[in-house]
PDB file of all heavy atoms in Angstrom:
ATOM      1  N   ASN A  99      87.744 -51.971 -44.232  1.00  0.00           N
ATOM      2  CA  ASN A  99      86.959 -52.404 -45.382  1.00  0.00           C
ATOM      3  C   ASN A  99      87.184 -51.526 -46.608  1.00  0.00           C
ATOM      4  O   ASN A  99      86.761 -51.875 -47.712  1.00  0.00           O
ATOM      5  CB  ASN A  99      85.466 -52.429 -45.052  1.00  0.00           C
ATOM      6  CG  ASN A  99      85.107 -53.496 -44.055  1.00  0.00           C
ATOM      7  OD1 ASN A  99      85.929 -54.333 -43.688  1.00  0.00           O
ATOM      8  ND2 ASN A  99      83.873 -53.473 -43.581  1.00  0.00           N
ATOM      9  N   TYR A 100      87.813 -50.369 -46.420  1.00  0.00           N
ATOM     10  CA  TYR A 100      88.036 -49.404 -47.506  1.00  0.00           C
ATOM     11  C   TYR A 100      89.526 -49.142 -47.695  1.00  0.00           C
ATOM     12  O   TYR A 100      89.919 -48.086 -48.186  1.00  0.00           O
ATOM     13  CB  TYR A 100      87.279 -48.103 -47.201  1.00  0.00           C
ATOM     14  CG  TYR A 100      85.788 -48.327 -47.151  1.00  0.00           C
ATOM     15  CD1 TYR A 100      85.174 -48.797 -45.999  1.00  0.00           C
ATOM     16  CD2 TYR A 100      85.002 -48.111 -48.275  1.00  0.00           C
ATOM     17  CE1 TYR A 100      83.810 -49.037 -45.960  1.00  0.00           C
ATOM     18  CE2 TYR A 100      83.635 -48.349 -48.251  1.00  0.00           C
ATOM     19  CZ  TYR A 100      83.051 -48.813 -47.088  1.00  0.00           C
ATOM     20  OH  TYR A 100      81.695 -49.062 -47.059  1.00  0.00           O
ATOM     21  N   SER A 101      90.366 -50.110 -47.361  1.00  0.00           N
ATOM     22  CA  SER A 101      91.815 -49.926 -47.392  1.00  0.00           C
ATOM     23  C   SER A 101      92.353 -49.658 -48.795  1.00  0.00           C
ATOM     24  O   SER A 101      93.405 -49.039 -48.954  1.00  0.00           O
ATOM     25  CB  SER A 101      92.515 -51.146 -46.787  1.00  0.00           C
ATOM     26  OG  SER A 101      92.170 -52.313 -47.515  1.00  0.00           O
ATOM     27  N   SER A 102      91.639 -50.074 -49.822  1.00  0.00           N
ATOM     28  CA  SER A 102      92.054 -49.799 -51.200  1.00  0.00           C
ATOM     29  C   SER A 102      91.708 -48.384 -51.628  1.00  0.00           C
ATOM     30  O   SER A 102      92.066 -47.969 -52.733  1.00  0.00           O
ATOM     31  CB  SER A 102      91.385 -50.786 -52.163  1.00  0.00           C
ATOM     32  OG  SER A 102      91.793 -52.106 -51.886  1.00  0.00           O
ATOM     33  N   TYR A 103      91.009 -47.660 -50.775  1.00  0.00           N
ATOM     34  CA  TYR A 103      90.544 -46.310 -51.085  1.00  0.00           C
ATOM     35  C   TYR A 103      90.952 -45.367 -49.955  1.00  0.00           C
ATOM     36  O   TYR A 103      90.132 -44.981 -49.121  1.00  0.00           O
ATOM     37  CB  TYR A 103      89.023 -46.309 -51.296  1.00  0.00           C
ATOM     38  CG  TYR A 103      88.634 -47.185 -52.472  1.00  0.00           C
ATOM     39  CD1 TYR A 103      88.385 -48.539 -52.300  1.00  0.00           C
ATOM     40  CD2 TYR A 103      88.586 -46.656 -53.749  1.00  0.00           C
ATOM     41  CE1 TYR A 103      88.082 -49.356 -53.379  1.00  0.00           C
ATOM     42  CE2 TYR A 103      88.275 -47.462 -54.839  1.00  0.00           C
ATOM     43  CZ  TYR A 103      88.036 -48.807 -54.644  1.00  0.00           C
ATOM     44  OH  TYR A 103      87.737 -49.607 -55.719  1.00  0.00           O
ATOM     45  N   PRO A 104      92.219 -44.983 -49.905  1.00  0.00           N
ATOM     46  CA  PRO A 104      92.694 -44.109 -48.822  1.00  0.00           C
ATOM     47  C   PRO A 104      92.126 -42.699 -48.943  1.00  0.00           C
ATOM     48  O   PRO A 104      91.612 -42.298 -49.991  1.00  0.00           O
ATOM     49  CB  PRO A 104      94.210 -44.109 -49.016  1.00  0.00           C
ATOM     50  CG  PRO A 104      94.416 -44.418 -50.458  1.00  0.00           C
ATOM     51  CD  PRO A 104      93.276 -45.329 -50.845  1.00  0.00           C
ATOM     52  N   GLY A 105      92.216 -41.964 -47.838  1.00  0.00           N
ATOM     53  CA  GLY A 105      91.787 -40.567 -47.844  1.00  0.00           C
ATOM     54  C   GLY A 105      90.347 -40.361 -47.448  1.00  0.00           C
ATOM     55  O   GLY A 105      89.755 -39.326 -47.753  1.00  0.00           O
ATOM     56  N   ASN A 106      89.772 -41.338 -46.745  1.00  0.00           N
ATOM     57  CA  ASN A 106      88.408 -41.216 -46.248  1.00  0.00           C
ATOM     58  C   ASN A 106      88.432 -41.093 -44.727  1.00  0.00           C
ATOM     59  O   ASN A 106      89.458 -41.314 -44.099  1.00  0.00           O
ATOM     60  CB  ASN A 106      87.575 -42.423 -46.691  1.00  0.00           C
ATOM     61  CG  ASN A 106      87.348 -42.421 -48.180  1.00  0.00           C
ATOM     62  OD1 ASN A 106      86.593 -41.610 -48.690  1.00  0.00           O
ATOM     63  ND2 ASN A 106      88.027 -43.308 -48.893  1.00  0.00           N
ATOM     64  N   PHE A 107      87.296 -40.739 -44.148  1.00  0.00           N
ATOM     65  CA  PHE A 107      87.183 -40.501 -42.713  1.00  0.00           C
ATOM     66  C   PHE A 107      86.138 -41.449 -42.134  1.00  0.00           C
ATOM     67  O   PHE A 107      85.130 -41.722 -42.774  1.00  0.00           O
ATOM     68  CB  PHE A 107      86.761 -39.055 -42.442  1.00  0.00           C
ATOM     69  CG  PHE A 107      87.616 -38.048 -43.148  1.00  0.00           C
ATOM     70  CD1 PHE A 107      87.262 -37.555 -44.397  1.00  0.00           C
ATOM     71  CD2 PHE A 107      88.793 -37.588 -42.568  1.00  0.00           C
ATOM     72  CE1 PHE A 107      88.048 -36.633 -45.059  1.00  0.00           C
ATOM     73  CE2 PHE A 107      89.590 -36.662 -43.214  1.00  0.00           C
ATOM     74  CZ  PHE A 107      89.222 -36.181 -44.467  1.00  0.00           C
ATOM     75  N   PHE A 108      86.378 -41.890 -40.910  1.00  0.00           N
ATOM     76  CA  PHE A 108      85.470 -42.841 -40.272  1.00  0.00           C
ATOM     77  C   PHE A 108      85.177 -42.412 -38.834  1.00  0.00           C
ATOM     78  O   PHE A 108      85.643 -43.040 -37.879  1.00  0.00           O
ATOM     79  CB  PHE A 108      86.073 -44.256 -40.339  1.00  0.00           C
ATOM     80  CG  PHE A 108      86.244 -44.731 -41.750  1.00  0.00           C
ATOM     81  CD1 PHE A 108      87.425 -44.499 -42.436  1.00  0.00           C
ATOM     82  CD2 PHE A 108      85.205 -45.372 -42.406  1.00  0.00           C
ATOM     83  CE1 PHE A 108      87.578 -44.903 -43.752  1.00  0.00           C
ATOM     84  CE2 PHE A 108      85.346 -45.787 -43.725  1.00  0.00           C
ATOM     85  CZ  PHE A 108      86.530 -45.544 -44.401  1.00  0.00           C
ATOM     86  N   PRO A 109      84.382 -41.329 -38.667  1.00  0.00           N
ATOM     87  CA  PRO A 109      84.022 -40.917 -37.306  1.00  0.00           C
ATOM     88  C   PRO A 109      83.304 -42.053 -36.581  1.00  0.00           C
ATOM     89  O   PRO A 109      82.471 -42.750 -37.174  1.00  0.00           O
ATOM     90  CB  PRO A 109      83.069 -39.730 -37.520  1.00  0.00           C
ATOM     91  CG  PRO A 109      83.247 -39.313 -38.945  1.00  0.00           C
ATOM     92  CD  PRO A 109      83.735 -40.518 -39.689  1.00  0.00           C
ATOM     93  N   ALA A 110      83.612 -42.232 -35.315  1.00  0.00           N
ATOM     94  CA  ALA A 110      83.055 -43.346 -34.554  1.00  0.00           C
ATOM     95  C   ALA A 110      81.543 -43.258 -34.380  1.00  0.00           C
ATOM     96  O   ALA A 110      80.850 -44.275 -34.333  1.00  0.00           O
ATOM     97  CB  ALA A 110      83.724 -43.432 -33.185  1.00  0.00           C
ATOM     98  N   ASN A 111      81.025 -42.036 -34.280  1.00  0.00           N
ATOM     99  CA  ASN A 111      79.596 -41.839 -34.055  1.00  0.00           C
ATOM    100  C   ASN A 111      79.211 -40.422 -34.491  1.00  0.00           C
ATOM    101  O   ASN A 111      80.070 -39.641 -34.898  1.00  0.00           O
ATOM    102  CB  ASN A 111      79.228 -42.089 -32.588  1.00  0.00           C
ATOM    103  CG  ASN A 111      80.109 -41.289 -31.651  1.00  0.00           C
ATOM    104  OD1 ASN A 111      80.373 -40.101 -31.866  1.00  0.00           O
ATOM    105  ND2 ASN A 111      80.605 -41.936 -30.609  1.00  0.00           N
ATOM    106  N   GLU A 112      77.933 -40.113 -34.397  1.00  0.00           N
ATOM    107  CA  GLU A 112      77.455 -38.796 -34.831  1.00  0.00           C
ATOM    108  C   GLU A 112      78.119 -37.661 -34.060  1.00  0.00           C
ATOM    109  O   GLU A 112      78.449 -36.621 -34.636  1.00  0.00           O
ATOM    110  CB  GLU A 112      75.943 -38.718 -34.685  1.00  0.00           C
ATOM    111  CG  GLU A 112      75.344 -37.456 -35.261  1.00  0.00           C
ATOM    112  CD  GLU A 112      73.841 -37.470 -35.207  1.00  0.00           C
ATOM    113  OE1 GLU A 112      73.280 -37.023 -34.192  1.00  0.00           O
ATOM    114  OE2 GLU A 112      73.224 -37.937 -36.187  1.00  0.00           O
ATOM    115  N   ALA A 113      78.339 -37.841 -32.783  1.00  0.00           N
ATOM    116  CA  ALA A 113      78.980 -36.790 -31.986  1.00  0.00           C
ATOM    117  C   ALA A 113      80.384 -36.486 -32.508  1.00  0.00           C
ATOM    118  O   ALA A 113      80.830 -35.335 -32.484  1.00  0.00           O
ATOM    119  CB  ALA A 113      79.035 -37.203 -30.512  1.00  0.00           C
ATOM    120  N   ALA A 114      81.069 -37.504 -33.010  1.00  0.00           N
ATOM    121  CA  ALA A 114      82.429 -37.317 -33.519  1.00  0.00           C
ATOM    122  C   ALA A 114      82.462 -36.553 -34.845  1.00  0.00           C
ATOM    123  O   ALA A 114      83.504 -36.040 -35.235  1.00  0.00           O
ATOM    124  CB  ALA A 114      83.114 -38.670 -33.680  1.00  0.00           C
ATOM    125  N   VAL A 115      81.318 -36.469 -35.534  1.00  0.00           N
ATOM    126  CA  VAL A 115      81.247 -35.691 -36.776  1.00  0.00           C
ATOM    127  C   VAL A 115      81.445 -34.214 -36.472  1.00  0.00           C
ATOM    128  O   VAL A 115      82.166 -33.511 -37.170  1.00  0.00           O
ATOM    129  CB  VAL A 115      79.900 -35.910 -37.502  1.00  0.00           C
ATOM    130  CG1 VAL A 115      79.720 -34.918 -38.650  1.00  0.00           C
ATOM    131  CG2 VAL A 115      79.805 -37.340 -37.995  1.00  0.00           C
ATOM    132  N   GLY A 116      80.771 -33.748 -35.423  1.00  0.00           N
ATOM    133  CA  GLY A 116      80.866 -32.344 -35.062  1.00  0.00           C
ATOM    134  C   GLY A 116      79.815 -31.472 -35.721  1.00  0.00           C
ATOM    135  O   GLY A 116      80.111 -30.382 -36.204  1.00  0.00           O
TER     136      GLY A 116
END
Side-chain angles (χ1 to χ4, degrees):
N99 292 352
Y100 297 83
S101 59
S102 297
Y103 298 88
N106 292 288
F107 309 93
F108 297 91
N111 52 44
E112 187 175 89
V115 170

